[in-house]
Amino acid sequence: GESVGLHLPTLSVQEGDNSIINCAYSNSASDYFIWYKQESGKGPQFIIDIRSNMDKRQGQRVTVLLNKTVKHLSLQIAATQPGDSAVYFCAENDMRFGAGTRLTVKP
Amino acid sequence: DSGVTQTPKHLITATGQRVTLRCSPRSGDLSVYWYQQSLDQGLQFLIQYYNGEERAKGNILERFSAQQFPDLHSELNLSSLELGDSALYFCASSVRTAYNSPLHFGNGTRLTVT
């Protein structure tokens, strides 16, 4: 499944599918981007980051893609699990967060 | 566990009152940030301190103030409280600044103004 972040704040996927969460940023001078996961009742938790000199960075089951030309960031989660259900935020290096996307994983 | 400690976890108070929220950053982190999160909303950046000095200011109301002490813990003071101030208040810390390192968040203080 795919989300457009601010325009589609909810993404529902089937367990085992891949998820793609998108984020548009406005400041072309931003050079550091972070994805956070916020579970219910908890503070946001760092997932993965990427600097502007990279286009792609991979972690465990997660990949972040950065397209500086169109100022777009995406988070891909492979083989989505119920434990991935949360709100996902992108953030730029000026500490401001996007609106967030709620990911719901259906068993 | 992020290593960031916030107290209290819950706070219920009346309009017009004043409260103080406390944050202990991760060991070694010099920067502290405060955020406000209203129900099902995003995170609004309020203010940042670095090694005791104010570094950046966001959408912080004049009724709110903060400080970072020599031992690096921070307090957020909210006064003349209004119903609309009811929210989750998060503290985060980082080694340097947010320009090149991720933030580590506490689990927040839930403020209810009645």
Side-chain angles (χ1 to χ4, degrees):
Chain A
E2 186 166 332
S3 144
V4 191
L6 294 176
H7 301 291
L8 190 65
T10 301
L11 174 65
S12 184
V13 301
Q14 206 67 39
E15 181 178 358
D17 285 353
N18 296 332
S19 302
I20 300 175
I21 300 171
N22 295 303
C23 178
Y25 64 93
S26 55
N27 186 357
S28 57
S30 293
D31 60 4
Y32 178 62
F33 305 88
I34 316 104
W35 280 100
Y36 293 91
K37 171 187 181 184
Q38 186 178 24
E39 296 175 279
S40 181
K42 295 185 178 180
Q45 178 184 17
F46 168 74
I47 303 173
I48 191 168
D49 57 5
I50 188 167
R51 301 189 191 280
S52 59
N53 60 352
M54 302 172 70
D55 296 324
K56 178 179 179 179
R57 190 168 188 214
Q58 287 184 291
Q60 188 177 14
R61 285 200 307 118
V62 295
T63 300
V64 55
L65 298 177
L66 175 61
N67 185 330
K68 294 180 287 292
T69 303
V70 295
K71 292 187 284 188
H72 183 269
L73 196 65
S74 69
L75 177 70
Q76 300 178 1
I77 305 174
T80 315
Q81 303 169 359
D84 295 326
S85 293
V87 176
Y88 290 81
F89 293 97
C90 65
E92 303 170 56
N93 60 1
D94 66 349
M95 301 161 289
R96 296 173 206 276
F97 281 64
T101 297
R102 182 178 299 280
L103 174 66
T104 301
V105 182
K106 296 177 288 187
Chain B
D1 182 9
S2 69
V4 177
T5 303
Q6 288 189 249
T7 57
K9 284 185 170 41
H10 302 276
L11 201 47
I12 301 175
T13 190
T15 54
Q17 295 297 305
R18 172 190 166 95
V19 296
T20 297
L21 312 184
R22 183 188 167 101
C23 170
S24 294
R26 282 192 326 165
S27 177
D29 284 359
L30 298 178
S31 274
V32 169
Y33 311 77
W34 287 97
Y35 287 84
Q36 179 192 57
Q37 186 175 43
S38 300
L39 188 64
D40 284 339
Q41 297 294 311
L43 289 147
Q44 295 295 319
F45 168 65
L46 296 178
I47 198 165
Q48 177 204 1
Y49 280 83
Y50 177 78
N51 204 21
E53 294 190 0
E54 182 183 306
R55 176 60 64 95
K57 224 170 187 175
N59 300 322
I60 188 166
L61 299 172
E62 285 191 12
R63 299 184 285 109
F64 297 180
S65 64
Q67 58 186 127
Q68 186 179 27
F69 294 87
D71 67 353
L72 300 178
H73 90 271
S74 179
E75 292 181 355
L76 178 67
N77 301 297
L78 315 176
S79 62
S80 303
L81 284 167
E82 302 175 359
L83 295 177
D85 297 327
S86 295
L88 267 168
Y89 290 84
F90 287 104
C91 168
S93 71
S94 69
V95 173
R96 296 178 291 275
T97 72
Y99 293 97
N100 52 18
S101 56
L103 306 186
H104 301 271
F105 284 81
N107 282 328
T109 292
R110 182 175 293 281
L111 174 66
T112 302
V113 182
T114 62

